[in-house]
């Protein structure tokens, strides 16, 4: 049997698993700091959820969804993105939830595609959503949270790219104008867009093919054709970001990949990753999403961040990724009395909230090496002599300094020195 994971997926064993877990913890801590509450939605959803919201012509629907028919004849899809499921769940329980509703998630997404660095068929996302707020302050908060997450990790070589895609008032006229332009330049488009641009002309603007990019640069710009309400909203977002110290770059061709976006759209783009990997994450406003699902109008804004892409950006910027804290103490016991007291010691350490472990029986040297591999800050050693005297030898792993103390004193010493992330 081949023990490799399926193509496009990864095993996260230590230390990679510890780094990923540390990202989860940082993301959750930052989200809670801003008043977001944790949510989970099923890994499988009705296929209609994504067909209705992502758009029949989107890459997600036409190329990337893992869809199957269950034994009851229902069409189900592995969750390819997080916003539509969160909105579905909100609409299902909206009368029991506060408004605005601020949610965050840390979960797995599934998209079929050619695996490459930073792009996997199963990937992990940190997402935040503010549902029920139409004001631009919500857009500002979402973008500021994403910016702070990257900055707190030590990333600096990225830029915040922003655009507005208008709304149902100004976009129809622009769409008609864009179609006329694309008809006149049809022969310059790549095959896919040449045949299908009238279904969704704005997707041409976001195409990464060089021929389409040249056409997009020349195309009319929605930013110059906004209605007064969209213009005022966008100006307020820019002013709010400036007050937060975020300096976005206007990219008039940015439209994002899903049909439900309105007004604000943004991406965080790495300056060190390749063009195919450059988008660390993105998001935007989706005021029409609830209606697309058959609900009443409920505005929203959020982002979805691929954590594998964040780890890749850390590596390329040569920034040490966060790691989980090592053990506070590794307990070593020798002889019948030593091993008995070691087991009592480990119970006492855990009762005081100190992470600890032990393996027995092994030679002292082997156990100290194990303590080092586990990142333990201290070794608590109880041999024949310590057991007889009712003490422990507390060894600081960073420099080998050690002293004999009572167990309670040793625990207080470990607590006083605090736990530091590896």
């Amino acid at each position: 049997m081949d023990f490799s994971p399926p193509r496009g997926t990864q095993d996260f064993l230590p230390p990679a698993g510890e780094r990923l877990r540390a990202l989860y913890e940082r993301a959750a801590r930052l989200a809670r700091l801003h008043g977001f509450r944790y949510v989970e939605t099923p890994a499988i959803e009705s296929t209609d959820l994504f067909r209705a919201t992502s758009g029949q012509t989107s890459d997600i629907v036409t190329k990337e969804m893992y869809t199957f028919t269950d034994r009851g004849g229902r069409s189900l899809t592995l969750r390819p993105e997080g916003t539509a499921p969160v909105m579905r769940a909100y609409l299902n329980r909206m009368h029991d939830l506060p408004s605005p509703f601020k949610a965050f998630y840390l979960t797995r997404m599934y998209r079929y595609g050619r695996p490459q660095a930073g792009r996997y068929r199963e990937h992990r996302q940190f997402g935040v959503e503010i549902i029920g707020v139409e004001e631009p302050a919500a857009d500002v908060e979402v973008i500021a949270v994403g910016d702070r997450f990257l900055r707190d990790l030590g990333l600096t070589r990225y830029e915040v790219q922003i655009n507005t895609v208008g709304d149902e008032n100004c976009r129809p006229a622009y769409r008609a104008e864009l179609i006329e332009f694309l008809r006149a330049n049809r022969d310059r488009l790549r095959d896919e867009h040449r045949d299908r641009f009238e279904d969704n002309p704005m997707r041409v603007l976001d195409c990464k093919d060089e021929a389409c990019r040249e056409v997009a640069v020349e195309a009319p710009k929605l930013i110059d054709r906004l209605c007064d309400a969209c213009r005022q909203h966008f100006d307020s977002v820019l002013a709010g970001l400036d007050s937060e110290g975020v300096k976005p770059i206007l990219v008039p061709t940015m439209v994002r990949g899903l049909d439900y976006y309105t007004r604000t759209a943004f991406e965080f783009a790495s300056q060190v990753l390749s063009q195919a990997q450059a988008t660390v994450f993105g998001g935007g406003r989706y005021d029409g999403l609830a209606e697309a699902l058959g609900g009443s109008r409920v505005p929203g804004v959020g982002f979805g961040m691929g954590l594998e892409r964040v780890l890749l950006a850390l590596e390329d910027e040569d920034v040490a990724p966060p790691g989980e804290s090592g053990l506070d103490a590794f307990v070593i016991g020798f002889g019948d009395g030593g091993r008995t007291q070691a087991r009592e010691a480990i119970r006492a350490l855990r009762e005081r909230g100190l992470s600890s472990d032990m393996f027995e029986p092994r030679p002292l040297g082997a156990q100290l090496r194990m303590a080092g591999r586990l990142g333990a800050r201290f070794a608590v050693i109880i041999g024949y002599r310590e057991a007889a005297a009712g003490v422990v030898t507390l060894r600081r792993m960073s420099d080998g300094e050690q002293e004999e103390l009572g167990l309670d004193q040793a625990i207080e010493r470990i607590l006083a020195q605090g736990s530091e992330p590896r």
Side-chain angles (χ1 to χ4, degrees), residues 86-105:
V86 170
M87 179 61 83
R88 176 201 56 73
Y90 173 80
L91 293 174
N92 186 48
R93 294 278 304 280
M94 62 185 299
H95 298 298
D96 301 324
L97 297 171
S99 182
F101 181 59
K102 298 174 69 174
F104 81 97
Y105 52 84

Side-chain angles (χ1 to χ4, degrees), residues 121-176:
R121 292 174 176 174
E122 177 189 64
H123 66 279
R124 290 134 186 94
Q125 271 195 15
F126 165 41
V128 303
E129 315 288 350
I130 301 180
I131 297 174
V133 181
E134 202 157 6
E135 287 72 21
D139 309 41
V140 173
E141 181 173 17
V142 163
I143 296 171
V145 166
D147 182 65
R148 179 169 176 180
F149 183 75
L150 298 188
R151 284 191 292 106
D152 286 353
L153 288 172
L155 291 171
T156 59
R157 299 179 63 186
Y158 65 88
E159 60 186 25
V160 184
Q161 301 176 349
I162 196 167
N163 191 28
T164 175
V165 294
D167 63 10
E168 66 276 8
N169 295 311
C170 52
R171 200 154 57 194
Y174 171 73
R175 184 181 187 278

